[in-house]
Amino acid sequence: REEPMPKNHTNLTDAQKQLLEDLYQQTDLSVDDLPYTEEMTRIHEEFVQQTNLPLSVRDVYKALKNMGRVGRFGGKLRSATASAT
């Protein structure tokens, strides 16, 4: 029985995580508000360009979500418009 392959977004180095955090800190949006925004596209494009990792937008978003769960972002609040929907 083969071991499952680790997912790409969970195999980030500390330097890659720091880069992703730095890119995320340039936006005022919470991680939950990012999907389907120009900001998420920007973060994805810059991250992939600088790391040469073949990650999808979804992979980068999952990495951000995972990093937020461990308290790396200090808790940006969701926007009022997003939480009202």
Side-chain angles (χ1 to χ4, degrees):
R1 189 172 166 180
E2 290 185 35
E3 290 293 315
M5 290 288 292
K7 294 186 172 42
N8 289 336
H9 66 274
T10 60
N11 288 336
L12 300 181
T13 66
D14 288 342
Q16 291 165 340
K17 288 177 185 176
Q18 185 61 53
L19 171 61
L20 190 54
E21 183 175 350
D22 292 344
L23 293 171
Y24 170 69
Q25 292 299 339
Q26 296 171 19
T27 182
D28 292 329
L29 297 174
S30 73
V31 174
D32 290 338
D33 290 335
L34 279 174
Y36 310 107
T37 64
E38 290 180 16
E39 285 300 303
M40 186 66 234
T41 301
R42 177 193 60 80
I43 291 169
H44 169 257
E45 288 174 353
E46 289 186 33
F47 184 76
V48 169
Q49 181 182 25
Q50 292 184 44
T51 62
N52 291 317
L53 293 174
L55 299 179
S56 68
V57 173
R58 185 172 189 229
D59 288 335
V60 173
Y61 177 72
K62 284 183 172 184
L64 283 167
K65 285 290 280 187
N66 289 344
M67 290 168 61
R69 284 189 186 116
V70 295
R72 284 189 74 131
F73 300 140
K76 287 185 185 179
L77 298 175
R78 289 189 72 177
S79 70
T81 55
S83 59
T85 56

